[in-house]
Amino acid sequence: MKKRLWLLSVLLTVVGWHSSFGWENGNDEHRNKKFTVVLDAGHGGHDPGKVANGVKEKDIALDLVLLVGKELEKHPDIKVVYTRKTDKFVNLYVRGKIANEAEADLFVSIHCNAHHSNAYGSETYVLGLHANRQNFEVAKAENEVIYLEENHEANYAGYDINSPESIIGLTIMQEEFLGQSIRLAKLLQENFSVKLKRKNRGVKQAGFIVLHQTFMPSVLIETGFITNKNEKNYLSSKKGKTEVSDNIAEAIIRYKKDLAVNTAIDNFQDVSNEGETAAAAGVTFKVQIAAGGNKIETKRYNFRGLEPISMEQEGSVYRYLYGNTTEYEEAKSLQRQAKAKGYKSAYIVAYRNGQRISVEEALRL
Ligand SMILES: [Zn+2]
């Protein structure tokens, strides 16, 4: 055990060097892949976004995105992909498609807010149920752009932006990334409030269509209110744009570093278990693919064709699990299948006589 701890500490020390080779992605096929960040400037072209006090949201969003990108591109181990680099219109689903095709590690959408009151401050959203009317209104305003798109009836079938319930069936796609999305959102809000001393309106959840389209941790930043004169002046100024973009870039870099450390721990546990088998009676393995507050039918069409799917409830959280086997090796193969289907953070869980135990304990038994 001591030796393991020592090994782990060595591993954590060297992970900083390895992260420059994309090691944080863990699995072999991604070992040489750079950490890819998709930067999404909200609106563009014939969609100006919010317009107030003589400025347009689409212009501020683009300026910020280009500055964030410039900052991130200084890091040779980060690849930046833009959904737009000019003043052009891009459909919401196309933004998601760009991110998915790039197999991005992060999707960051940048916007500005507007309100009839004198509201100010920044807030960062992850996909989820609208917790209240106010969050719903923010998402609705950002979602309205679909009506400027051609063929929106076909591309967003059944989605009614006026209905808070419309998002419920959609949230599961992002739930497996929710933890990571929230982690980045917190780092961003922390930078805005602690380093820039701006009003922290918090990390929030709402049903943004653009976030629903992506299969990776994704956030949407409402950097500030252009309806508020002070914030409009700040976000239009060179100083304001530089400060905000620097802090967005810094949060992304910190997120990437944290991720590298966490993956090192996961990989270490994986390696240390190699070669052992769980033959003991009563021990079974499953692969957890998603968890969240929504109860979803365990049908294969809800889980990208995977079956059997089982569900466990703990308090208000539902966990969704794929497969059921007594062999650890087979569980690893199930995990690979789940990852191939897009459940990138799928992980193995173990049970003894129906009770959850750690995988390490299961393998000891
Ligand atoms: Zn917007």
Side-chain angles (χ1 to χ4, degrees), residues 41-52 54-67 84-88 110-112 223 226 235-237 241:
H43 315 277
H46 64 268
D47 168 26
K50 287 117 192 168
V51 179
V55 297
K56 291 175 184 150
E57 179 186 2
K58 66 172 184 177
D59 297 327
I60 295 178
L62 182 59
D63 286 349
L64 288 172
V65 152
L66 294 176
L67 287 169
R84 69 178 181 102
K85 286 186 93 170
T86 56
D87 182 18
K88 68 170 182 186
I110 297 182
H111 293 252
C112 303
T223 50
I226 54 172
L235 290 170
S236 309
S237 70
K241 281 177 184 159

